Structure formats: C-alpha cells, structure tokens
C-alpha cells in the first residue's frame, strides 16, 4: 500500500466527507446532464477523492464499495440509455440516483460517527 497522504485517520475521514459533499451535489446534476463530459470527469475525480480518504480507514471499506458499485450501475444505465433505440427510462435512472444518494448518505453517516468518536 502506498504511503498515506493524510497525517491521521481523522484527516482522511474529513477528506472523504468533503469529497462526498461535492460528489453528492454533482451527482444530482449528472442525472440530468450526464453527457456533460466536464461534469462526468469532475464526478469521477470526486469519486477518486472519496476512495483516497476511505482507503485509510478500514471501517469505511464496506460502505465505500457499496457506493462504488451503485455508481457503476448508474453510469452503466446512463451509457446504455444513450444508445440509439434504447428505451429512455427516467424512472429507472431516478431509482438508481436515489440508490447512489442513499449510499452517499450512509457513508457520510459512518464518517461523521468516526469523527465524533475520535
């Protein structure tokens, strides 16, 4: 494992929390404007920032992986819905966005509990 870029687990958790906040805000926009490549790149960068913070704290691993899987399923849905002839499923997209948001909130709550206990 590479050397930590954070001086403490609390710093890593704080970093993850800040990235989660940005990710969550941009995620809502991505559902409506996902073909915006700059927004898509920004969301990917934020997801990487979340990963960097979470990898330092083993208690966050499961919640992080669940978020990553939900994000991947959302992106797959977005790409598939853009193909010619693909049925547009706004309802399905909204369900996936809600699922990802739920995982963001769960991870945020875990982070907050860790910050409060240390």
């Amino acid at each position: 494992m590479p050397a930590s870029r954070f001086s403490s687990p609390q710093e890593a958790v704080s970093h993850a929390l800040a990235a989660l906040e940005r990710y969550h805000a941009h995620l809502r926009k991505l559902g409506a404007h996902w073909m915006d490549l700059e927004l898509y790149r920004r969301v990917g960068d934020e997801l990487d920032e979340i990963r960097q913070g979470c990898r330092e704290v083993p208690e966050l691993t499961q919640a992080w992986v669940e978020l990553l899987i939900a994000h991947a399923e959302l992106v797959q849905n977005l790409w598939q819905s853009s193909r010619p002839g693909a049925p547009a499923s706004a309802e399905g997209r909204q369900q996936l966005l809600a699922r990802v948001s739920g995982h963001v909130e769960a991870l945020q709550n875990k982070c907050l509990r860790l910050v409060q206990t240390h």
Side-chain angles (χ1 to χ4, degrees):
M1 176 182 265
S4 174
R5 69 182 260 197
F6 304 105
S7 62
S8 69
Q10 290 76 24
E11 184 183 349
V13 171
S14 294
H15 179 85
L17 271 169
L20 279 161
E21 195 66 37
R22 291 187 308 273
Y23 172 82
H24 206 199
H26 289 127
L27 180 69
R28 291 183 203 107
K29 293 178 186 176
L30 187 66
H33 306 287
W34 82 273
M35 290 297 284
D36 178 339
L37 295 181
E38 176 59 28
L39 178 61
Y40 185 78
R41 184 198 56 76
R42 184 175 300 138
V43 167
D45 290 347
E46 290 160 352
L47 203 59
D48 189 50
E49 292 292 317
I50 296 165
R51 177 194 57 80
Q52 289 176 24
C54 289
R55 78 174 181 195
E56 302 290 324
V57 184
E59 295 92 340
L60 299 177
T61 301
Q62 181 176 347
W64 155 245
V65 169
E66 290 169 352
L67 171 59
L68 185 60
I69 290 168
H71 175 86
E73 289 171 349
L74 172 64
V75 169
Q76 179 183 11
N77 174 274
L78 293 171
W79 279 107
Q80 285 179 341
S81 68
S82 71
R83 292 182 13 218
S89 174
E91 181 181 327
R93 183 176 306 122
Q94 290 305 314
Q95 288 174 350
L96 286 167
L97 279 166
R99 183 168 172 242
V100 175
S101 289
H103 287 293
V104 168
E105 291 167 10
L107 185 51
Q108 285 173 318
N109 289 334
K110 284 185 175 280
C111 288
L112 289 170
R113 280 194 300 274
L114 286 170
V115 168
Q116 292 168 354
T117 61
H118 289 91

